[in-house]
Amino acid sequence: MLVQHQRLAITGLDPRPLDRRVIAREELVEALAVSAAETTAVTGAERETVPSPVPGSVVPPWRDGLSVTVLAPDYRRIVGVLEKRRSAGEGPVKAKEIAAELGLGTTPAKVEGVRSKARRLAERGWLLLEASGMFSAGRRPAAVPDAGSSV
């Protein structure tokens, strides 16, 4: 800083504006560091208090008292379609009909995506898979493999 003051003195310029800029820059850096630390602390606290499902998340096994809100949005929509059909007195439905009711279309790729999600829900007790391969709303405790068994 002294060298810069000497250069400015030689050229006849006033060094005070330079001092103000240096001080302003230091204050800005400090303020940004404090702001970044506060933002990180708030973001960390939010992550801990708001556990929400995200697309692609694991489907937990169904058990009493577990709400459908723990499921990712795509899975909730499938369960919602089947529960709506059950309340209307309609029976089991094929994956193709679920895909159509969700507005996804009936192309093989969309139907297979819905079928795989519905099977996953059925395997974990959120839906019932009929012998005919059709799905219906209903809950049953999922068989969770025992980690300690040797069989």
Side-chain angles (χ1 to χ4, degrees):
M1 186 77 136
L2 182 61
V3 174
Q4 289 177 344
H5 283 263
Q6 290 172 344
R7 285 185 192 156
L8 290 173
I10 293 171
T11 59
L13 297 173
D14 187 11
R16 286 179 292 198
L18 179 64
D19 290 338
R20 286 190 213 118
R21 288 185 191 143
V22 170
I23 292 169
R25 182 174 183 266
E26 290 172 353
E27 288 175 350
L28 177 63
V29 169
E30 286 176 21
L32 290 174
V34 168
S35 175
E38 289 172 354
T39 302
T40 304
V42 169
T43 305
E46 287 173 355
R47 275 192 223 125
E48 292 172 11
T49 59
V50 185
S52 61
V54 293
S57 62
V58 177
V59 176
W62 179 83
R63 61 183 181 277
D64 257 345
L66 195 58
S67 170
V68 73
T69 58
V70 301
L71 298 174
D74 290 343
Y75 292 98
R76 279 196 303 252
R77 291 178 60 208
I78 293 170
V79 171
V81 164
L82 292 171
E83 287 179 346
K84 186 174 78 173
R85 290 180 62 87
R86 180 179 62 184
S87 66
E90 300 175 23
V93 64
K94 293 182 179 183
K96 187 174 187 176
E97 294 173 54
I98 298 171
E101 205 161 323
L102 290 172
L104 299 175
T106 56
T107 61
K110 298 296 182 181
V111 172
E112 287 306 314
V114 168
R115 180 177 287 116
S116 99
K117 287 178 176 143
R119 279 188 189 270
R120 191 168 297 123
L121 287 165
E123 288 168 359
R124 290 171 176 86
W126 290 92
L127 299 177
L128 300 176
L129 176 60
E130 307 293 328
S132 63
M134 299 173 87
F135 299 94
S136 63
R139 306 277 194 278
R140 62 171 175 70
V144 179
D146 183 18
S149 73
S150 59
V151 179

